[in-house]
Structures are given as C-alpha cells and as structure tokens.
Amino acid sequence: MELRGNRIKITPMKLEDVYNFKNWGIHENPLLADYNLPQLSHRELEEWYYYKTNRANQKYFSVFNEENKLIGYFGIKRIRKILKDAVLGIVFDPNYVNQGYGTETIRTFLDYYFNVLKMRKLYLEVSKFNRRALRCYEKNGFKIVGEYLDEFFDQNIDVNNPYFVEEQSSFVIKKGKIYNYIYKMEIDRKAYLKERDIIEKTKAKNQVGSAVK
C-alpha cells in the first residue's frame, strides 16, 4: 500500500524508517517533550517499533515529503473490524510542523480509510494545550465530542515556565499532582464526505478565480 498527496507519500512503517527518528528536531515547548524521539537509543527504537507493529489491532505508517525524507508517522489503534472504527495517533518531526503536511497527511489517509477500507468512524484524543494539532484535526472535519482529565506525563515540569503559564487553563493541580485536559474527537464517513465536498468546491472556485485573473 502506498498513498500519495500533493506533497507527501504514505507507506507502511518499516524498521529502517524508525532509525530516522534520530535525525528529527526537538520540541522547545516542554509540554510536547513526550514527542521528542531523537533521545531514544537504537535499541529503544527497535523495541518501540516491534511493540507498535506486532499487534493485530493496530497499523502504523510512515510519512515522507517531496524529497523522500521521513517527516512523520501515524497509526490507527484499537481497530474494531466488526464496528469498523479505530483510534488515530499522529506525530511529526518538529522541523516540519506548521507547513500543512499534517493536514495533507490526514486528508489523504481519510480517503483511503473511508473509501477503501470501508471504515465507518475514526476517533482521536488530543491535549487541550496542543492547539496546533487541534486546528489540524478540525480542518479535516473532526469534532470535539467530550473531554476528560488525565495525569500529565511530566510531574516535575516547572509550573512557572512560560509555556505552562500560557496554557494554565488546560491543567488542573490536585493534591500535588498535575492533570491536563484531553479532548475526545471523532469523524464519521458522512462528515468526511461533507468536508471533502467543501474542500473540492473551494478549490474549484479558486481555480476559476485564478483563470479569470
């Protein structure tokens, strides 16, 4: 399986892809430190890869840009074949965020997910403070359907750090423990088709406008 967008290519994840995580950038924002993959050793990356790919109810994919450079990966987890749904998780090299690659990757995969795999619904969970990711998901038609508090991965984070202070509304501190709000989001095939139609109509309108100029 190989999927292509205008600028990206999606393929099933291979072990050799995972080694390239060592070349990725580092998030300066400590709230996103859990996504800093270069700090993992080769052995840890191998263990991570086999843990992710050796389960029947999840599949992982690599994302490459126009220069055939690995810039991201994503997975669909908790796949339920009878109910035809799954949970999406996606991570990008910090050097390639805010460039539209994430939006294009999700859009390209949703077409395959709903029209080829014939799935009915896709879920995801995202931290409230991860506003960039939240915007990306909303652009692709995902809607917030709930929220909950979860224990934050770094209990030793400096609560006076500017990044933390700016996102204080995303956190709750109870009995000395730090929790953050997680949004639950979903999209079904009907919502996807509606969003796709809007995108295609907008694209056609822009092309007509360019031709007139």
Side-chain angles (χ1 to χ4, degrees):
M1 184 275 284
E2 179 177 301
L3 307 177
R4 286 188 177 271
N6 292 327
R7 299 182 300 158
I8 58 96
K9 176 180 70 174
I10 298 171
T11 63
M13 182 182 283
K14 299 177 182 177
L15 178 57
E16 61 194 68
D17 298 337
V18 173
Y19 292 136
N20 285 310
F21 291 164
K22 300 288 290 182
N23 301 318
W24 281 17
I26 298 291
H27 287 284
E28 293 181 4
N29 186 344
L31 304 183
L32 301 173
D34 201 30
Y35 297 107
N36 287 335
L37 298 174
Q39 61 194 8
L40 299 179
S41 68
H42 274 75
R43 180 170 181 174
E44 288 173 328
L45 287 172
E46 289 172 2
E47 290 175 350
W48 179 93
Y49 170 78
Y50 289 117
Y51 174 78
K52 296 290 188 182
T53 59
N54 281 349
R55 297 191 172 202
N57 68 338
Q58 56 191 40
K59 297 181 182 298
Y60 277 78
F61 305 88
S62 297
V63 182
F64 298 86
N65 67 358
E66 311 97 313
E67 300 171 348
N68 204 37
K69 183 173 183 179
L70 180 77
I71 61 170
Y73 78 85
F74 67 93
I76 48 173
K77 304 167 287 186
R78 288 176 254 164
I79 300 170
R80 300 189 294 183
K81 294 182 178 179
I82 295 177
L83 296 177
K84 295 185 178 299
D85 62 21
V87 178
L88 174 70
I90 183 167
V91 177
F92 268 78
D93 179 346
N95 294 320
Y96 292 90
V97 299
N98 289 329
Q99 298 178 37
Y101 286 113
T103 299
E104 183 179 344
T105 296
I106 294 174
R107 193 167 293 161
T108 301
F109 181 71
L110 287 180
D111 182 67
Y112 174 78
Y113 183 82
F114 287 117
N115 296 324
V116 178
L117 298 182
K118 304 297 183 183
M119 299 294 273
R120 294 176 181 171
K121 188 173 287 189
L122 184 60
Y123 302 95
L124 64 82
E125 295 185 347
V126 58
S127 297
K128 179 181 176 181
F129 62 74
N130 197 346
R131 300 183 188 279
R132 183 190 68 249
L134 184 58
R135 287 195 298 272
C136 175
Y137 300 141
E138 289 176 333
K139 280 183 184 177
N140 280 290
F142 282 88
K143 303 296 182 185
I144 297 173
V145 293
E147 69 176 27
Y148 66 94
L149 275 174
D150 194 20
E151 189 173 327
F152 188 56
F153 76 92
D154 183 4
Q155 290 296 305
N156 296 314
I157 191 169
D158 179 6
V159 295
N160 295 312
N161 182 286
Y163 288 102
F164 188 92
V165 173
E166 185 178 353
E167 294 295 341
Q168 274 187 331
S169 64
S170 299
F171 293 87
V172 171
I173 300 178
K174 292 181 178 179
K175 297 180 180 180
K177 277 197 172 184
I178 304 172
Y179 300 84
N180 65 294
Y181 283 103
I182 305 292
Y183 283 141
K184 293 181 176 181
M185 305 185 77
E186 68 176 43
I187 185 172
D188 58 25
R189 189 171 187 276
K190 182 178 179 180
Y192 158 71
L193 292 173
K194 181 179 179 181
E195 193 68 24
R196 188 186 66 177
D197 287 343
I198 292 173
I199 292 170
E200 290 180 350
K201 287 177 182 178
T202 301
K203 188 184 298 183
K205 185 178 179 180
N206 291 337
Q207 289 175 344
V208 170
S210 298
V212 171
K213 290 180 181 178

